[in-house]
Amino acid sequence: MADHRNLNPSSPPPRCLVTGATGYIGSRLVPELLAAGHPVRCLVRSPDKLRRQPWAERVGQARGDVLDARSVRAAMEGVDVAYYLVHSLGTGPGFEETDRRAARNFGEQARAAGVRRIVYLGGLTPSGVPERDLSPHLRSRAEVGRVLLASGVRTAVLRAGVIIGSGSASFEMLRHLTERLPVMVTPRWVRTRTQPIAVRDVLRLLVGCARLPYEVNRAFDIGGPDVVTYRDMMRRYAAVAGLPRRLVIPVPVLTPRLSSLWVGLVTPVPGALARPLVESLRHEVVCGEGDIARYVPMPSAGPSTGLPDCPSDGPLPLDQALRLALRSRTARREPMPEPSDPLPTDPPWAGGSRRVDHRERVVDAAPEELWQAVEGIARGERWQSLPPAWALRGWLDTVVGRVGLHLGRREAAPLRAGDRLRFWRVEEVEPRRRLRLRSELPLPGPAWLEISVGEDGAGGAVYRQHAVFEPHGLTGRLCGWGGAACGGLVFDGMARNVAARAEAHAAVPG
């Protein structure tokens, strides 16, 4: 008899198991499931990685591996819906066999445990192309979907192409290629059509699959509203990122293997991951149907993205998805509202080529005295290291009619948001605790400096200084590399000078 308990919206939310919870999609799916009211358990090989997630205390944890039948069976106890979000891509030439065994084991244990549904995120495959002619990556994804559908447990397979969001391997490859190469000699696959989808929409559909009608046991194609070539995506990325138009010259001599080596050389995406992704671009991957909308309808009004012309309902168009993926979190203190934002647990090659310099010093002064030294910035006191270099830079800036060395304010009043301090504009200030400045220099990308004051537990103070530069385009990357070469000297001197002023003030009697 069919189980229709998951059809009643008033019934308790199904209990969910998420595999791959520390991966790109899994780490973003878990908080969405929690927000929808689902009890969640995570199957992970290393619970230590899970502890880095902000939601770790709100989920159940099970140590195990999808290849280990006993651990999978134990993790599925009492579970209604099991999300399969793991793959062996990038682990070596035997990854297809590994994925095959893992999917069979997962399906068998789900059936034995009485799980009502499996949800799997796979890849779009081209219509009319024999499976033997597909890339190993797409061929394996298609096979895993078939194995789960035949497991005896009702399964929903969502098949997606390029996922647009910071941290997605496909998106990061697009980001780094476009930003690093103003002129690109590219293989023919840049003319291949694809149907990208925003990660926000992928997660919405994955969450919605937890309440699919019992009889649904099939694959669904999912994609955004735009069908574009990879060359179109690079050009639209450049436009959204404020970069000059990219010149893309396709040539027929670059095979997928050679072009994957080229991608591995130009971008920080690991070659073992870039190669199967590039090989998959040989074939056109466009949705053949949109039946998922019959079961998971679009929300009438979703959460606001905070961006102009960005709809709160319906699938996101490509340009809006790119804007969300490029949105910087540096200047925002609130919890991450968008799954397209970078996460601290993303791999080091994700999130662009942000340059970060962090300094921390224990200061022999009270926190109030250290804050007075920080506020000395507003009174024109010397605080930068290498003053002659700063003076020369300010003079050149003044000559061309820009910010120069103008302080903007010299009164001893407390700092306020909007104040100008030499090359900086105050973005946010928490008195006696934190000051965040945004650079007003004509740099090829935004830059911030955040200074905070804390206690060391022994009556002293801790000075923290965090500088961030987000380069735009090739010029920004060259500037970032050059800044990294001398940034250590400049920022170390800055922290030393502010700390020394606080300690000198503390040594004065009374």
Side-chain angles (χ1 to χ4, degrees):
M1 182 176 176
D3 184 349
H4 293 280
R5 284 178 293 170
N6 58 341
L7 290 177
N8 185 358
S10 62
S11 64
R15 294 159 294 183
C16 298
L17 174 72
V18 177
T19 63
T22 59
Y24 173 66
I25 291 295
S27 61
R28 289 159 170 81
L29 174 62
V30 171
E32 297 294 319
L33 288 171
L34 291 171
H38 294 277
V40 177
R41 181 184 301 154
C42 298
L43 175 65
V44 290
R45 285 180 293 182
S46 175
D48 289 340
K49 290 184 178 179
L50 202 63
R51 293 191 189 102
R52 300 173 57 195
Q53 301 289 352
W55 38 259
E57 300 297 326
R58 302 170 57 197
V59 302
Q61 299 181 23
R63 181 193 290 270
D65 189 286
V66 289
L67 290 168
D68 177 22
R70 181 174 297 179
S71 64
V72 172
R73 178 68 176 82
M76 288 183 172
E77 191 67 36
V79 165
D80 301 308
V81 179
Y83 285 88
Y84 191 76
L85 304 174
V86 296
H87 59 76
S88 303
L89 184 65
T91 60
F95 79 91
E96 288 185 83
E97 173 58 26
T98 302
D99 278 344
R100 185 180 304 118
R101 290 193 295 113
R104 285 174 180 167
N105 181 59
F106 194 82
E108 290 171 359
Q109 300 310 315
R111 185 177 66 250
V115 172
R116 297 207 302 268
R117 175 164 302 284
I118 295 172
V119 181
Y120 168 59
L121 179 62
L124 266 177
T125 54
S127 60
V129 178
E131 194 167 295
R132 64 179 180 274
D133 294 334
L134 296 177
S135 70
H137 168 224
L138 287 181
R139 187 168 59 235
S140 178
R141 291 296 184 94
E143 183 181 19
V144 167
R146 286 201 313 276
V147 169
L148 295 175
L149 285 167
S151 66
V153 178
R154 301 292 180 174
T155 298
V157 175
L158 302 188
R159 307 192 301 182
V162 175
I163 296 177
I164 303 297
S166 182
S168 161
S170 299
F171 173 77
E172 295 299 338
M173 196 167 70
L174 170 72
R175 181 208 300 265
H176 290 292
L177 283 175
T178 309
E179 292 201 350
R180 294 187 174 191
L181 300 175
V183 179
M184 286 176 270
V185 178
T186 59
R188 287 177 296 180
W189 52 254
V190 298
R191 296 173 176 170
T192 303
R193 294 198 313 159
T194 186
Q195 192 165 350
I197 182 171
V199 65
R200 186 180 77 166
D201 292 322
V202 173
L203 297 177
R204 176 180 57 80
L205 294 172
L206 285 171
V207 173
C209 283
R211 287 186 175 272
L212 285 176
Y214 175 79
E215 65 273 10
V216 174
N217 186 63
R218 56 163 292 185
F220 296 95
D221 293 351
I222 61 172
D226 299 275
V227 176
V228 294
T229 66
Y230 206 84
R231 176 169 56 183
D232 292 335
M233 278 202 297
M234 288 190 285
R235 286 176 171 168
R236 288 169 73 166
Y237 177 98
V240 169
L243 302 173
R245 181 178 174 84
R246 269 28 191 169
L247 180 60
V248 182
I249 307 172
V251 295
V253 294
L254 287 176
T255 65
R257 177 167 179 79
L258 286 176
S259 60
S260 67
L261 295 175
W262 165 71
V263 169
L265 178 67
V266 174
T267 79
V269 178
L273 190 58
R275 278 193 294 275
L277 292 176
V278 169
E279 289 172 359
S280 301
L281 294 172
R282 294 179 307 182
H283 303 292
E284 181 176 284
V285 284
V286 176
C287 295
E289 44 81 19
D291 295 347
I292 189 66
R294 292 163 44 196
Y295 301 98
V296 187
M298 294 295 174
S300 57
S304 173
T305 61
L307 295 177
D309 304 321
C310 195
S312 59
D313 57 344
L316 281 182
L318 176 59
D319 289 351
Q320 281 77 12
L322 289 170
R323 287 192 183 98
L324 281 176
L326 289 173
R327 183 175 63 168
S328 170
R329 190 172 180 259
T330 308
R332 301 199 312 275
R333 304 301 299 182
E334 70 272 13
M336 238 176 261
E338 273 295 325
S340 50
D341 289 332
L343 288 179
T345 52
D346 286 342
W349 43 263
S353 299
R354 174 180 295 184
R355 298 285 178 175
V356 177
D357 184 279
H358 183 78
R359 307 280 163 173
E360 189 167 317
R361 300 174 70 93
V362 176
V363 182
D364 188 15
E368 293 79 8
E369 292 165 328
L370 178 56
W371 180 256
Q372 289 178 17
V374 172
E375 280 203 319
I377 300 170
R379 293 188 291 272
E381 299 171 1
R382 290 186 179 275
W383 61 293
Q384 296 103 340
S385 59
L386 303 179
W390 286 97
L392 176 60
R393 179 65 184 83
W395 179 80
L396 291 173
D397 207 44
T398 303
V399 167
V400 297
R402 293 197 175 102
V403 177
L405 274 175
H406 300 299
L407 186 63
R409 68 193 296 279
R410 286 184 177 274
E411 69 273 15
L415 293 173
R416 302 181 301 270
D419 287 346
R420 177 183 288 176
L421 311 174
R422 299 185 185 272
F423 306 115
W424 307 94
R425 178 78 66 176
V426 177
E427 275 202 342
E428 186 177 346
V429 58
E430 294 180 37
R432 297 181 293 281
R433 290 188 57 192
R434 186 171 60 88
L435 171 67
R436 188 173 69 248
L437 309 171
R438 182 185 178 107
S439 173
E440 291 197 332
L441 289 173
L443 300 171
W448 292 267
L449 175 65
E450 182 166 295
I451 299 171
S452 63
V453 173
E455 299 180 2
D456 69 349
V462 178
Y463 174 83
R464 296 182 180 91
Q465 175 182 290
H466 194 74
V468 178
F469 173 56
E470 294 187 347
H472 283 181
L474 182 60
T475 304
R477 293 174 186 272
L478 294 174
C479 181
W481 290 331
C486 62
L489 179 63
V490 171
F491 288 116
D492 185 67
M494 184 182 300
R496 187 173 58 251
N497 290 345
V498 174
R501 179 168 294 278
E503 290 175 344
H505 180 74
V508 176

